[in-house]
Amino acid sequence: MSAWIAPAPRDWPGRARWLADAAAGKQVSPALCESPQAAALLAEMARVFCAGAWPSAVILAQAVIDAELAARLAAGNDDPMALNALRFGADFVWLRDRRNRLIHGSDEDGRRRVLTLVDVTDGGGGDQAAWERDARRAVKVVLDALAS
């Protein structure tokens, strides 16, 4: 598949159903975000997730949390323990580290590694199942953050 061709829509309904079920289970929707920016980023994260753009979903997941956390801090209406969990909880640290590795191009051990088209295109040889697992985990982290 060329990088310029959209992913096949065949999997969109199943991904959208999974996402809707996961969000409903946490009672999360963009309307519940304190930050309008977080709400918009959450909607965009949902679109790229449904499209199967896995690295983009991970990157946007962290952006949603960053925007929502900034709004909560600015409003001064969140409990310090909850904020610490958002900053330092194991899943949140995993997401931040994963996003940073994607953006800055390094492996877990800090070695430089650039994200390539081989990694992100169907048929390119990348491990799409692993990318999808990471994206699903990232979505769950966002839903947990917004539900807290």
Side-chain angles (χ1 to χ4, degrees):
M1 173 171 133
S2 166
W4 304 115
I5 298 172
R10 70 186 176 279
D11 296 327
W12 187 293
R15 293 172 184 151
R17 200 168 26 259
W18 179 88
L19 185 60
D21 290 347
K26 294 287 183 178
Q27 299 179 332
V28 170
S29 77
L32 297 177
C33 293
E34 288 188 38
S35 161
Q37 181 181 12
L41 290 168
L42 180 63
E44 187 66 10
M45 181 198 71
R47 282 191 284 275
V48 300
F49 177 86
C50 290
W54 309 127
S56 296
V58 171
I59 292 165
L60 284 167
Q62 182 63 49
V64 171
I65 292 173
D66 289 345
E68 186 67 8
L69 185 57
R72 290 180 185 186
L73 286 169
N77 62 353
D78 216 349
D79 142 20
M81 294 301 284
L83 289 175
N84 277 343
L86 285 177
R87 290 183 187 134
F88 306 115
D91 286 334
F92 300 103
V93 170
W94 169 84
L95 177 57
R96 186 174 48 250
D97 289 347
R98 188 69 180 112
R99 186 277 316 262
N100 286 344
R101 287 192 308 270
L102 287 168
I103 296 291
H104 303 295
S106 63
D107 282 336
E108 289 84 356
D109 63 6
R111 289 181 300 148
R112 188 88 177 128
R113 183 180 181 282
V114 177
L115 182 68
T116 68
L117 286 174
V118 169
D119 295 319
V120 299
T121 55
D122 288 339
D127 187 349
Q128 294 301 303
W131 282 112
E132 183 174 357
R133 279 191 304 276
D134 281 357
R136 287 180 187 267
R137 182 175 178 188
V139 166
K140 289 177 183 177
V141 172
V142 167
L143 297 177
D144 286 343
L146 295 175
S148 67

